Amino acid sequence: MSKFRKCTIAGNWKMNKAVNEAEDLASSVKREMGECSDVEIVLCPPFTALKVVGDAISESRLKLGAQNMHSEPDGAYTGEISANMLRDLFCHYVILGHSERRTYFHETDDVVNRKAKAALKANLLPIVCVGETLTERDAGCAESVVRTQLQGSLDGLGDVLDKVLVAYEPVWAIGTGRTATPETAQAMHKYIRSVLGGIGGSKADSVRILYGGSMKPDNAAALISQPDIDGGLVGGAALEARQFCEIVRAALSC
Ligand code: 13P
């Protein structure tokens, strides 16, 4: 591990795993990787499994993350969950603005920005997701789409940018088996860091930028060994302990 930014592998379980399955998966990851300190390992189960996964990984180095939250601290928001509620369950991280939330739940950069500010206020580290669609990439506007998402989602956060993680998840690579090549991903990560420099100056150098989109054991090392790729946000391959731990091992080898 040569990078000064801590390599981070986060598993986004999305809307998968019943409570007992989540407990099994978390316990298996803990058995294999519970003492790992060179890679930051984050498990992000659905809300319903946060408690049991938190209990399963207690007394290990594994960290807990949520997949979403509301921007208000409390109040009449039926069906929503606040940052403090997540802290209550010992979450360290929260994924914000995932493309599935942007697409299916109409989350805008402004919404993501409010959530990111609320997360930081509650001492949760936000993993802010950005990424272009295939149509946008083919039209040659991948960089401008990602720049707009970053500037909107991170508005006003320049002073605390080192507490934010960014996940670059090209929409065309999510759940499709079609991964960005290491070169394509590195080019975008480098670009993202330059945009972050415009927002937070030298703090941009400490921002962990994760790649997400069909990351698997056989492509993880090539991606993570790129200079501006600081780990992965893993979907499908995080649902199985063996695959997820292999990705962590690939990260350890970089
Ligand atoms: P897949 O790894 O299944 O492509 O999902 C990526 C993702 O959306 C992680 O947040």
Side-chain angles (χ1 to χ4, degrees):
M1 308 270 0
S2 53
K3 287 177 200 161
F4 73 94
R5 292 176 294 268
K6 184 145 190 182
C7 185
T8 301
I9 302 292
N12 175 10
W13 297 4
K14 307 193 180 184
M15 196 172 72
N16 294 292
K17 303 293 177 189
V19 169
N20 62 334
E21 296 169 330
E23 187 174 22
D24 286 350
L25 176 53
S27 303
S28 301
V29 176
K30 179 181 166 180
R31 236 182 341 266
E32 282 200 55
M33 291 294 166
E35 298 310 311
C36 174
S37 58
D38 289 336
V39 169
E40 177 93 329
I41 304 171
V42 187
L43 304 185
C44 304
F47 289 132
T48 47
L50 281 172
K51 171 82 173 103
V52 76
V53 169
D55 287 346
I57 65 175
S58 66
E59 293 171 31
S60 81
R61 291 180 180 268
L62 307 182
K63 301 285 196 317
L64 189 62
Q67 299 174 19
N68 180 34
M69 52 168 260
H70 197 269
S71 53
E72 291 300 317
D74 47 47
Y77 299 97
T78 301
E80 293 294 324
I81 301 221
S82 73
N84 281 333
M85 292 171 180
L86 299 179
R87 286 296 297 168
D88 231 12
L89 293 173
F90 304 103
C91 284
H92 274 79
Y93 291 87
V94 60
I95 299 169
L96 296 178
H98 191 280
S99 65
E100 288 148 18
R101 297 223 48 95
R102 292 176 185 265
T103 303
Y104 304 134
F105 303 96
H106 314 294
E107 283 194 14
T108 60
D109 293 328
D110 182 52
V111 169
V112 177
N113 183 242
R114 277 186 271 132
K115 291 183 177 192
K117 286 176 175 158
L120 289 163
K121 202 168 163 190
N123 269 327
L124 276 172
L125 303 179
I127 303 174
V128 174
C129 302
V130 296
E132 80 287 357
T133 63
L134 191 55
T135 315
E136 290 161 342
R137 174 158 286 267
D138 287 345
C141 48
E143 289 191 347
S144 68
V145 166
V146 168
R147 183 178 65 238
T148 302
Q149 289 175 335
L150 288 168
Q151 289 173 337
S153 305
L154 302 177
D155 184 48
L157 294 176
D159 288 345
V160 286
L161 203 62
D162 49 342
K163 304 242 169 6
V164 173
L165 290 79
V166 171
Y168 170 57
E169 300 208 313
V171 178
W172 45 271
I174 296 177
T176 58
R178 182 179 164 190
T179 324
T181 63
E183 295 71 29
T184 303
Q186 163 58 23
M188 184 59 91
H189 280 231
K190 188 171 176 199
Y191 178 72
I192 288 172
R193 203 173 299 285
S194 76
V195 175
L196 295 177
I199 299 170
S202 61
K203 288 191 189 301
D205 290 335
S206 12
V207 176
R208 287 172 275 169
I209 307 177
L210 314 183
Y211 169 81
S214 298
M215 184 178 269
K216 307 285 176 205
D218 61 1
N219 60 29
L223 286 159
I224 297 165
S225 51
Q226 297 295 318
D228 288 291
I229 301 185
D230 306 310
L233 183 54
V234 184
L239 295 175
E240 214 224 310
R242 190 184 49 81
Q243 284 201 58
F244 185 67
C245 292
E246 272 183 49
I247 292 177
V248 174
R249 270 187 220 103
L252 283 165
S253 74
C254 290

